[in-house]
Amino acid sequence: MTTKALVLGGTRFFGKQLVYTLLEQGIAVTIATRGKTADPFGEQVKRLVFDRTSESSIKEVLTKETYDIVFDNIAYSAQDVAHLLQHVTPKRYVVTSSMSVYPVLQPNLQESDFKPEAYDIRLAESNQLPYGEGKQTVESILTKTYPDLSAVFVRFPYVVGQEDYTQRFAFYLDKLVQQEPMAIDNLTHQMAFVDAEEAGRFLAFLGTSDFTGPINGASKGTISIEEIFAYATANTGKVPLFAENGVKGPYNGTPDYSINTTQADAIGFVFSDLKEWLYQLCDWEIDRAAQK
């Protein structure tokens, strides 16, 4: 019997790679979104349009079929989870969480550095909570209210790639190429990243894993903005311009941190080394910026 997966939010960035990977595995995929973003999957997937913030919409739209796996890329609060799981009961639930659940970003972050079982559940809508706190409540409600559900929550750092709609990583290379002044407060801080394609493949991998609870997902190693600039300068001959009144860097305020992925290694998913692919992304962003 074909495995059926429901992907909540799968039309852009790493959600697209998740869907591509599931299709390659022969899984029947239904994507459920607001219906505002086109997707490239043609007749390979079923599509549902729903409102994540409306329990009646969830009940009306998402309960017409049953699903073996639900991949939830758009859970931003405990209330989001509660609304969904009151009506949809998957055998496996894979939730995209974030490094933002960690109270302090620091080197060698391990899953035990935030314990959702010790965190009070606050049933608030996602627009009522800061992003990190909302993700903390997502993990907490799953751990405490749904302990028997086979659920895993994936803590990603900054996700980057050519289709990154946030344009945060692109900012640094674009401003260097365009010679626009920047105000950056963490030039030398080492930071973790994950490639969008690898993030999508990791989510798909977890769909058929029996691992439960929190798990980190990140490329191995770290890099600083200073190192990124040095690479770009060597390849363009241009140096970054800094000014106190320059445009503030999107990663400003991020301290030195790294993410331990030993747990992912242990269950059979070994992430790539960051510097094996990040400089290729730099090349792509430099070329794009030069064409403006």
Side-chain angles (χ1 to χ4, degrees), residues 187-199:
L187 196 62
T188 62
H189 293 181
Q190 292 291 316
M191 293 185 282
F193 294 89
V194 67
D195 173 57
E197 290 191 10
E198 202 161 24

Side-chain angles (χ1 to χ4, degrees), residues 5 7-27 29 31 38-41 44-45 71 73 96 156 159-165 194-207 269 271:
V7 178
L8 305 180
T11 56
R12 60 181 183 174
F13 207 26
F14 62 86
K16 287 169 63 174
Q17 185 60 43
L18 165 61
V19 173
Y20 280 131
T21 305
L22 295 174
L23 292 172
E24 289 170 2
Q25 294 174 350
I27 293 173
V29 178
I31 57 175
D39 67 77
F41 308 119
Q44 297 179 90
V45 302
F71 295 91
N73 294 332
T96 299
F156 286 131
V159 185
V160 294
Q162 293 182 9
E163 296 186 11
D164 180 5
Y165 56 90
V194 67
D195 173 57
E197 290 191 10
E198 202 161 24
R201 287 192 282 108
F202 187 46
L203 292 173
F205 171 85
L206 290 169
F269 193 99
F271 280 89

Side-chain angles (χ1 to χ4, degrees), residues 35-227:
K36 295 183 177 181
T37 304
D39 67 77
F41 308 119
E43 297 180 358
Q44 297 179 90
V45 302
K46 293 181 180 178
R47 294 171 184 79
L48 299 172
V49 176
F50 84 121
D51 178 358
R52 178 61 191 263
T53 64
S54 166
E55 188 173 354
S56 61
S57 176
I58 290 170
K59 184 177 181 180
E60 178 184 348
V61 177
L62 302 186
T63 58
K64 294 176 181 177
E65 289 189 56
T66 58
Y67 302 95
D68 300 296
I69 316 167
V70 171
F71 295 91
D72 196 342
N73 294 332
I74 51 174
Y76 298 110
S77 71
Q79 193 69 71
D80 284 345
V81 174
H83 284 329
L84 179 74
L85 295 183
Q86 283 168 10
H87 305 288
V88 179
T89 53
K91 297 175 184 175
R92 179 76 169 157
Y93 187 43
V94 181
V95 181
T96 299
S97 188
S98 168
M99 69 174 183
S100 297
V101 300
Y102 291 115
V104 178
L105 290 183
Q106 58 193 12
N108 197 36
L109 283 167
Q110 300 180 55
E111 287 85 354
S112 59
D113 289 329
F114 172 66
K115 297 180 172 61
E117 66 274 13
Y119 187 82
D120 289 337
I121 299 169
R122 181 181 170 194
L123 277 176
E125 299 294 345
S126 57
N127 60 4
Q128 298 173 322
L129 297 173
Y131 177 80
E133 186 177 344
K135 289 295 189 181
Q136 289 174 330
T137 69
V138 166
E139 293 195 12
S140 179
I141 193 172
L142 284 169
T143 303
K144 298 167 78 170
T145 306
Y146 301 95
D148 297 327
L149 178 63
S150 178
V152 58
F153 8 107
V154 189
R155 297 171 180 171
F156 286 131
Y158 295 127
V159 185
V160 294
Q162 293 182 9
E163 296 186 11
D164 180 5
Y165 56 90
T166 72
Q167 293 293 290
R168 291 180 298 186
F169 183 81
F171 165 92
Y172 297 93
L173 296 162
D174 182 73
K175 293 292 183 269
L176 180 143
V177 170
Q178 299 296 329
Q179 292 288 275
E180 296 178 21
M182 297 170 273
I184 297 175
D185 65 8
N186 56 353
L187 196 62
T188 62
H189 293 181
Q190 292 291 316
M191 293 185 282
F193 294 89
V194 67
D195 173 57
E197 290 191 10
E198 202 161 24
R201 287 192 282 108
F202 187 46
L203 292 173
F205 171 85
L206 290 169
T208 53
S209 166
D210 57 6
F211 181 87
T212 59
I215 190 165
N216 288 334
S219 294
K220 295 184 182 297
T222 57
I223 197 168
S224 68
I225 295 168
E226 185 176 54
E227 290 173 88

